[in-house]
Amino acid sequence: MVQKNNGSKRGFGRRIADGVRAASDGMRSATANALRGVADRIEVPRATFEIADIKIDFGVDAAGNTLWATQQQIADLFGRNTDTVGEHLANAYAEGEISREATTGDFPVVRIEGGREVARTIKHYNLDAILAVGSRVKSPRGTQFRQWAFRILKEYVVNGYALNEERLRNDPAAVQSLAEQVRAIRYDEKNLYARVRDCVVLVSSDYDGTSDQVRSFFARMQDKFHFAACEQTAQQILLTRADATKDRMGMTTQLNNRPTLADARIAKNYLSPEEIKLQMLAGDAFFVYVENMIARGRTATTAQLLAKIDEVFKFNEIPEFPGYVGPYIKPQVDAHVKTQYDLFRARTAQERYDDARRLPPSV
């Protein structure tokens, strides 16, 4: 969701600059902000308006029931230059048709300049302002865009997403890309086990969410999926892969450059893309089997399900989890991850401090 730049970003930058200034009196807050500008940007949902020879990505604010565009995007949309768009906006504000405060917002936009990513704060205009310009330029695209925009916003409100159906029908590669993205979301840690739980509730004849037996069932299912991906349990992954000396502590699947302790405790975050794909395939095999049982009205105990899943994995030549061997290591793993995380935090904080000290003073 698009959020207006209300100063929280600047406040964050000032707090960082204060810390840098304490370590180096010659440091300027603007320089410290620039060091972190790219990492401190806002990500917003996008929707693409594509017709004839134009293709424009607009920011979607489903909660505010609007879209956002830069002045250049509005100019491209209606086939005018930015000066003309600026004049029409000024007239719309002067005539009281729209309110400047209600229809504008400043948002960070990341651009490639000189071969590097640079974040610039650029003024954006919402759907009311875009339509006000469209009514003044009398472009036939105004009606087409309005119909598209209202459809997109309705789909976001109802579904939480919007699809470009015409493009998907005519572009097999786009369909495949979308299917892979949906599969990745489907097998996200939280979504995967929520769906496993939902299926087991429907097919298990002895399901009791409060019983130790069911909790043990889900723990074993989690390790079956991890073992299918890399032939290690969740605890073994954390013990062997959480490493303070590595970038992002060795994590590969979460996108935050400053991972939290909660991120560090999720075994799936350490799996490689290839291992994630193998885990997804194991999930597919599980869900095909269980959903077939549900469709046929069959049930099984949780113990029978575990045994059947082993058979399904064996048939599909997926590595079978052999069961737990050796001592219980969770306390040891928790302590290891916490130690590595504390070391990682100390190392990266020192690196940021060293980088800040190397910055030239402002002129």
Side-chain angles (χ1 to χ4, degrees):
M1 181 180 70
V2 175
Q3 298 178 351
K4 287 198 175 184
N5 191 342
N6 57 12
S8 62
K9 297 285 180 181
R10 293 190 293 272
F12 177 69
R14 284 196 294 270
R15 290 194 296 273
I16 293 175
D18 289 341
V20 175
R21 191 181 298 109
S24 175
D25 292 337
M27 189 61 57
R28 297 290 191 269
S29 61
T31 316
N33 283 336
L35 178 66
R36 298 165 180 85
V38 172
D40 203 27
R41 64 184 183 259
I42 295 174
E43 298 290 343
V44 300
R46 315 296 296 180
T48 303
F49 177 72
E50 187 172 2
I51 189 171
D53 58 340
I54 66 167
K55 180 179 179 181
I56 305 173
D57 289 334
F58 294 92
V60 179
D61 180 359
N65 198 33
T66 194
L67 303 175
W68 294 91
T70 64
Q71 194 164 315
Q72 182 63 61
Q73 288 177 315
I74 299 173
D76 294 340
L77 173 64
F78 296 120
R80 304 292 192 272
N81 59 47
T82 54
D83 290 340
T84 300
V85 170
E87 291 174 6
H88 287 311
L89 286 168
N91 291 334
Y93 292 135
E95 295 168 10
E97 178 183 347
I98 53 176
S99 162
R100 186 183 301 274
E101 181 178 351
T103 59
T104 61
D106 295 327
F107 307 118
V109 173
V110 177
R111 296 176 170 178
I112 302 298
E113 297 181 8
R116 63 191 183 94
E117 286 189 339
V118 178
R120 305 285 187 195
T121 299
I122 298 178
K123 187 172 293 297
H124 285 64
Y125 300 86
N126 75 0
L127 182 58
D128 290 337
I130 300 170
L131 295 180
V133 173
S135 66
R136 282 169 165 74
V137 300
K138 296 180 173 57
S139 167
R141 285 182 183 164
T143 300
Q144 296 168 326
F145 172 75
R146 184 178 66 252
Q147 293 171 342
W148 171 84
F150 289 157
R151 179 182 65 81
I152 289 293
L153 290 173
K154 180 180 178 181
E155 289 184 12
Y156 263 94
V157 169
V158 174
N159 301 321
Y161 61 87
L163 298 177
N164 186 336
E165 295 181 14
E166 183 174 353
R167 181 190 175 197
L168 292 174
R169 289 193 183 97
N170 298 312
D171 188 347
V175 174
Q176 179 63 27
S177 175
L178 177 62
E180 291 174 357
Q181 292 177 52
V182 170
R183 173 182 269 185
I185 295 171
R186 183 185 188 187
Y187 289 106
D188 175 81
E189 188 89 3
K190 184 184 296 184
N191 294 335
L192 172 61
Y193 296 112
R195 189 157 176 245
V196 169
R197 183 193 63 242
D198 292 343
C199 288
V200 171
V201 168
L202 292 173
V203 78
S204 173
S205 60
D206 61 348
Y207 181 83
D208 177 0
T210 63
S211 72
D212 291 338
Q213 179 181 347
V214 167
R215 282 194 288 269
S216 174
F217 170 84
F218 285 119
R220 290 181 70 89
M221 282 305 306
Q222 181 185 51
D223 279 327
K224 284 180 183 292
F225 286 127
H226 285 312
F227 198 87
C230 63
E231 299 191 29
Q232 287 184 305
T233 66
Q235 302 302 319
Q236 289 169 338
I237 292 170
L238 293 173
L239 195 59
T240 59
R241 302 192 187 190
D243 186 342
T245 66
K246 294 183 177 179
D247 182 43
R248 290 188 300 183
M249 247 184 85
M251 283 177 266
T252 58
T253 61
Q254 58 86 35
L255 302 180
N256 184 4
N257 284 326
R258 298 182 187 177
T260 66
L261 181 57
D263 293 327
R265 286 174 168 159
I266 297 175
K268 188 174 180 179
N269 283 341
Y270 299 88
L271 298 183
S272 69
E274 294 76 18
E275 289 169 336
I276 291 289
K277 179 67 176 294
L278 292 173
Q279 190 177 71
M280 290 179 181
L281 293 173
D284 284 342
F286 169 80
F287 289 122
V288 166
Y289 170 73
V290 175
E291 289 171 2
N292 178 65
M293 289 188 66
I294 294 171
R296 298 178 185 277
R298 297 173 182 168
T299 61
T301 66
T302 49
Q304 288 171 332
L305 278 176
L306 287 172
K308 282 293 184 182
I309 295 307
D310 286 340
E311 292 179 17
V312 169
F313 281 11
K314 183 176 182 179
F315 176 79
N316 287 279
E317 298 184 4
I318 297 171
E320 299 174 60
F321 176 53
Y324 300 108
V325 294
Y328 182 68
I329 62 171
K330 189 176 187 306
Q332 176 188 351
V333 171
D334 288 343
H336 170 76
V337 172
K338 180 64 165 58
T339 298
Q340 293 300 308
Y341 182 74
D342 289 342
L343 291 171
F344 170 79
R345 285 283 302 274
R347 175 176 69 80
T348 53
Q350 182 64 44
E351 289 174 354
R352 290 195 297 273
Y353 170 74
D354 292 342
D355 287 342
R357 291 200 64 182
R358 285 192 289 269
L359 285 171
S362 298
V363 294

